[in-house]
Amino acid sequence: MTKLSVNINKLATLRNSRGGNNPNLVKSALDIEQFGADGITVHPRPDERHIRYADVYDLKKVLHTEFNIEGNPTEQKFVDLVLASKPAQVTLVPDALGQLTSNHGWNTIEHQAYLKSIIAVFKNAGIRVSIFVDPIISMVEAAATTGTDRIELYTESYAQEFAAGNREKAIAPFKAAAEVAKSLGLGLNAGHDLDRFNLGYFSKEIPWLDEVSIGHALICDAIYLGLENTVQLYKRQLTH
């Protein structure tokens, strides 16, 4: 079954807005695990506006499920953090400095040489590597020659088309990209703007999906529905 990794950046944003430690990020992550999540995702950025680098070390000490750290490997500070904390998975995202949120995948053709070299750094440390990729066949094909273990399909366009009522149009490029990834032996993750309304269809149409990483929508739902109930609702969308 597809694993659910919960991105806790928004909980860190809430904590940072008032200082102090409310909500307690470590306790929240442990609770999310207990509520049924298969993993915890964090995306520390250089300005530490949500997840702080210290949070990563604190979380690594106590988490029982898979720990996934997302970020831009062109920042040496990020590379050092990942190598020091050794998560189960690192997801490489081509963010610009100060970017509000991730909004595109790697050009795996143009950046082929760089990706090969940086992916080798993490794999040599025993860390599984996933790279952010748009649902474009040529990008998936080139990703397969970088040495990455998995790709993470960037799903914003899927979410937008799905919300507009175009389910088949929404999923088509992702199914095609996922088929190519499978044929090339790549593991498959997905994330960005997935929610409890569009997740079930995505998962059903691509049943070999390894993992989804969801933060913003899940935390927003939790305000109304409760955190434990929300984690269970999202898990249920991944069961067919």
Side-chain angles (χ1 to χ4, degrees), residues 2-43:
T2 304
K3 293 182 176 180
L4 171 65
S5 186
V6 176
N7 185 317
I8 59 172
N9 278 24
K10 286 299 185 294
L11 292 175
T13 301
L14 180 60
R15 175 200 62 186
N16 295 352
S17 68
R18 288 287 296 268
N21 194 34
N22 188 20
N24 182 312
L25 199 70
V26 170
K27 183 181 185 305
S28 297
L30 290 172
D31 287 341
I32 288 168
E33 286 186 322
Q34 191 168 355
F35 297 156
D38 305 293
I40 297 294
T41 291
V42 295
H43 189 148

Side-chain angles (χ1 to χ4, degrees), residues 193-208:
D193 288 350
L194 294 174
D195 60 30
R196 64 190 170 95
F197 303 107
N198 62 36
L199 178 59
Y201 182 69
F202 191 92
S203 175
K204 184 179 179 181
E205 292 294 306
I206 309 175
W208 61 92

Side-chain angles (χ1 to χ4, degrees), residues 149-226:
D149 300 293
R150 296 183 182 183
I151 60 169
E152 178 171 337
L153 291 175
Y154 172 63
T155 50
E156 182 182 12
S157 62
Y158 164 76
Q160 290 175 340
E161 286 290 349
F162 187 94
N166 306 317
R167 298 202 313 175
E168 291 79 9
K169 181 180 178 182
I171 198 66
F174 291 89
K175 284 183 73 171
E179 290 279 7
V180 172
K182 183 169 68 169
S183 72
L184 295 172
L186 287 170
L188 188 67
N189 298 342
H192 204 90
D193 288 350
L194 294 174
D195 60 30
R196 64 190 170 95
F197 303 107
N198 62 36
L199 178 59
Y201 182 69
F202 191 92
S203 175
K204 184 179 179 181
E205 292 294 306
I206 309 175
W208 61 92
L209 189 63
D210 290 302
E211 174 188 292
V212 291
S213 175
I214 304 178
H216 184 82
L218 190 151
I219 299 304
C220 289
D221 283 338
I223 294 172
Y224 287 93
L225 305 173

Side-chain angles (χ1 to χ4, degrees), residues 16 44-53 77 97-99:
N16 295 352
R45 287 185 164 85
D47 60 7
E48 300 187 76
R49 65 180 181 268
H50 34 61
I51 294 294
R52 299 169 183 152
Y53 279 52
K77 184 180 177 184
L97 188 64
Q99 191 164 317

